[in-house]
Amino acid sequence: MADLPHILVVDDSRVVRVSLINHLKNHYEVREESDGEAAWQTLVVDHSIKAVISDLQMPKLNGYELLERVRTSKLRRLQQLPFILVSGEETEEERAKAKEMGVSDFVTKGAGVTELLTRLNNLMSLTSAQENLAAEREHLVQDPASGLFTRKYLELQMAQALSHAARHHLDVSVMVLGFDGFDGLCQRLGAQVAEEICNRFAKMLAGKMRHEDSLGHYGVGQFAIVSPGTAPAFCATFAQRVREAVEVAKLTIHGQTVALTVSIGLASVPTDQVATAAALLDMAGERMRIAMGNGGNRTESGGILPATRPISINHALELLGANRPEPVVPHLPSLGVRLMPLLQLMNQELGLDLPLAEIERRLSERKPHKN
């Protein structure tokens, strides 16, 4: 009996309750209450109850009032609980009222217990199918280990973004990122440590994304970001920053310092002529593999150049600390302007004789000239 689904029968007539229990006991574990208020208290505390069969006319709380409490409850399990109302004389008005309040089914007592059991069985089967569908959708939406979107869900998100972009003449960009030499990383550090590295990387990415972007898994040690409304040049800029941030990071896992690099593939619509969301994602993935094959730690964008944006002083210092001056050089004019007040203060307080005018002149010569 413990394995049978639990249901609650509510009726102020003990004769009716006993009759129902005798007919249902081989199919369900039955709990009984004699009024609506007691039934409500039972439903709140007993999480095992999977359905309710309630009389319409009862003391304290009638069937309508009990149904209203169930459907307006803050408890999700009660909002969706199968609920059958049983009336002595069913009228169209009663049926319409019950339907409006969210009843699952409405049965007249004259229909007989066999009919009631059939309808209850159908409702339980429907509920089970809906729960299975919800569980499958949850598995589709999020990876249970990391909480990130699955690749299939990213494709669905991208398909919606492409449809919206086509109507409003917008860009949709996608980037696929993968750790270089991830198989070797797993062999050296073990699968559990490699997974921890991936989770840290995913959190870093999530913290840098816009609210409207979607982050999910692409493959083992690989991630994808769907960016609706983002021009490819700005996506390339973001990719470059992510790649550089990973390169200069000093990641410590279980006392070990791990050096990591990522390769990134970019694709976008309408720049890249593809017909489907899956094709756009696959194009970005293929470009990531090309970047890996060309030595790794690089971005393959199909010829799209990053949009030029100033870098922060902190980021410039990180790059210099990693012995990577090349990305800093193009930004020297803007960095120099921001540092000039500090140089002036140092010159004054330390009694230095810095050639500040000459520094400003040379930085000015390096600024790009607009036509």
Side-chain angles (χ1 to χ4, degrees):
M1 295 292 291
D3 296 329
L4 294 177
H6 291 206
I7 66 169
L8 175 64
V9 170
V10 194
D11 199 300
D12 57 341
S13 169
R14 174 153 180 78
V15 174
V16 172
R17 297 200 307 272
V18 169
S19 175
L20 285 174
I21 291 171
N22 286 335
H23 284 86
L24 299 173
K25 63 183 180 181
N26 293 328
H27 306 274
Y28 297 95
E29 178 77 23
V30 182
R31 182 165 179 173
E32 58 179 304
E33 295 293 352
S34 59
D35 64 76
E37 184 62 44
W40 169 247
Q41 298 300 327
T42 296
L43 287 171
V44 170
V45 300
D46 191 344
H47 292 222
S48 69
I49 294 175
K50 301 301 182 184
V52 178
I53 299 175
S54 173
D55 189 19
L56 184 58
Q57 303 299 328
M58 296 183 298
K60 296 185 179 179
L61 280 181
N62 63 33
Y64 289 135
E65 293 166 334
L66 177 59
L67 174 61
E68 183 179 17
R69 282 199 187 180
V70 167
R71 290 297 183 250
T72 59
S73 169
K74 295 181 180 179
L75 301 175
R76 186 175 178 83
R77 63 180 175 84
L78 295 185
Q79 295 171 8
Q80 301 176 342
L81 193 70
F83 196 112
I84 298 177
L85 268 178
V86 181
S87 172
E89 294 181 2
E90 177 185 4
T91 67
E92 286 301 320
E93 183 180 354
E94 287 178 331
R95 177 181 288 275
K97 181 178 179 180
K99 183 177 180 181
E100 183 178 342
M101 295 176 69
V103 75
S104 305
D105 207 341
F106 197 106
V107 181
T108 59
K109 291 182 179 178
V113 178
T114 300
E115 175 68 16
L116 179 62
L117 179 60
T118 299
R119 297 198 187 187
L120 177 60
N121 289 341
N122 290 339
L123 278 176
M124 296 295 284
S125 297
L126 177 61
T127 300
S128 178
Q130 290 173 336
E131 289 175 350
N132 290 336
L133 182 61
E136 289 177 2
R137 184 182 183 278
E138 183 67 20
H139 180 69
L140 173 68
V141 170
Q142 289 189 323
D143 179 270
S146 66
L148 298 182
F149 291 129
T150 63
R151 177 172 173 174
K152 185 62 178 177
Y153 187 74
L154 283 181
E155 290 184 13
L156 296 176
Q157 291 283 87
M158 198 181 311
Q160 293 179 358
L162 290 176
S163 176
H164 180 266
R167 293 195 304 270
H168 299 280
H169 306 289
L170 300 174
D171 294 294
V172 177
S173 295
V174 59
M175 53 190 293
V176 174
L177 315 87
F179 285 108
D180 296 315
F182 188 73
D183 290 341
L185 187 70
C186 292
Q187 292 174 3
R188 281 197 327 273
L189 304 178
Q192 185 175 355
V193 174
E195 182 178 351
E196 184 176 342
I197 290 173
C198 286
N199 289 338
R200 287 196 190 184
F201 178 68
K203 288 181 181 178
M204 182 273 287
L205 282 177
K208 295 180 178 295
M209 290 165 31
R210 304 173 307 164
H211 176 73
E212 57 266 36
D213 295 339
S214 299
L215 169 65
H217 289 285
Y218 181 79
V220 179
Q222 299 170 353
F223 303 86
I225 298 176
V226 178
S227 297
T230 300
F234 291 116
C235 190
T237 300
F238 179 60
Q240 181 173 292
R241 289 183 174 179
V242 169
R243 185 186 60 77
E244 292 172 353
V246 174
E247 184 181 13
V248 302
K250 295 178 175 62
L251 186 64
T252 302
I253 300 286
H254 303 306
Q256 301 182 62
T257 301
V258 182
L260 300 169
T261 60
V262 293
S263 292
I264 304 175
L266 304 179
S268 63
V269 167
T271 303
D272 294 304
Q273 299 297 314
V274 294
T276 65
L280 186 62
L281 190 60
D282 287 342
M283 178 176 287
E286 178 59 29
R287 287 175 176 170
M288 176 198 66
R289 286 185 284 272
I290 291 173
M292 288 180 172
N294 288 334
N297 191 25
R298 64 190 65 208
T299 299
E300 174 57 51
S301 61
I304 298 298
L305 297 177
T308 302
R309 286 182 174 178
I311 65 173
S312 69
I313 293 174
N314 285 339
H315 186 45
L317 293 175
E318 288 177 351
L319 292 169
L320 294 176
N323 196 28
R324 296 192 64 249
E326 299 86 1
V328 180
V329 171
H331 300 279
L332 283 179
S334 62
L335 291 171
V337 170
R338 280 177 278 171
L339 287 172
M340 191 56 65
L342 177 61
L343 292 176
Q344 290 170 345
L345 180 62
M346 291 173 62
N347 200 42
Q348 175 183 328
E349 294 296 320
L350 300 179
L352 303 175
D353 189 20
L354 297 176
L356 297 180
E358 181 66 13
I359 293 174
E360 286 183 314
R361 184 184 68 79
R362 296 200 179 190
L363 289 174
S364 178
E365 290 176 352
R366 288 203 174 199
K367 288 183 180 179
H369 296 287
K370 296 181 180 180
N371 295 327

